[in-house]
Amino acid sequence: MKYGVHKRTLLFIAGLVWIIAGANILRIGIITWLDDTHDWLFKVCEAIIVFLLFFYLVFIKLFYKHRERIAQKKENKNCPFSFFDVKGWIIMAFMITLGITVRTFHLLPNSFISVFYTGLSSALIITGILFFVQLYKEKK
């Protein structure tokens, strides 16, 4: 690639994309949460469970997979979008489409969306931070 990026840049872009996605989903979760503040302690516990499930069963594995794949790339001249593989981009597109569809057609109640999005977004943000931590380690 003529205008490729360094593999450390891929770690930065990956972290940024995960955090931006998480922040956007967190914004939606908080907005729907504010519409229904009943049983907030129970909802917090549910959001923690969603976070733990997604972080430990899905996102940490994806982090390790993408971290290793990026580490095996050449130093320079990598496509800026290659922090994900094709499967990762397809999964991300599917998740975005599913989320928009669920909210547009009101397929799930806001009480579910608020809890699910808050937990999911926290897992996304922490995963993004892991990419930044890896970038910091690579710079040392």
Side-chain angles (χ1 to χ4, degrees):
M1 172 166 244
K2 187 175 180 181
Y3 299 105
V5 297
H6 194 278
K7 62 183 180 178
R8 285 194 310 258
T9 305
L10 292 177
L11 289 171
F12 177 80
I13 295 170
L16 194 62
V17 166
W18 283 77
I19 289 172
I20 289 171
N24 187 43
I25 293 171
L26 180 62
R27 179 186 60 79
I28 295 166
I30 289 173
I31 288 169
T32 56
W33 196 301
L34 293 176
D35 288 342
D36 180 25
T37 58
H38 295 99
D39 303 320
W40 67 270
L41 184 59
F42 185 68
K43 288 169 125 179
V44 167
C45 293
E46 289 176 322
I48 290 170
I49 291 169
V50 170
F51 163 77
L52 292 171
L53 288 173
F54 271 90
F55 184 72
Y56 287 108
L57 297 178
V58 179
F59 294 145
I60 194 73
K61 293 174 185 177
L62 287 175
F63 165 73
Y64 289 134
K65 174 185 167 187
H66 292 299
R67 180 191 70 180
E68 292 306 313
R69 198 176 48 70
I70 290 170
Q72 294 175 5
K73 290 191 167 289
K74 53 190 170 195
E75 272 309 295
N76 293 312
K77 306 282 185 189
N78 297 293
C79 175
F81 301 108
S82 66
F83 60 89
F84 275 166
D85 55 7
V86 174
K87 182 180 174 185
W89 283 108
I90 291 170
I91 290 170
M92 186 168 78
F94 173 76
M95 289 177 68
I96 291 169
T97 304
L98 183 63
I100 291 170
T101 302
V102 164
R103 288 190 329 277
T104 301
F105 295 108
H106 306 286
L107 300 176
L108 295 169
N110 280 348
S111 58
F112 175 83
I113 289 175
S114 63
V115 168
F116 184 76
Y117 274 36
T118 304
L120 178 68
S121 66
S122 302
L124 284 165
I125 291 168
I126 298 297
T127 305
I129 291 169
L130 288 177
F131 279 104
F132 286 135
V133 169
Q134 184 64 34
L135 176 63
Y136 177 75
K137 289 179 182 178
E138 300 253 336
K139 284 188 175 185
K140 279 186 141 183

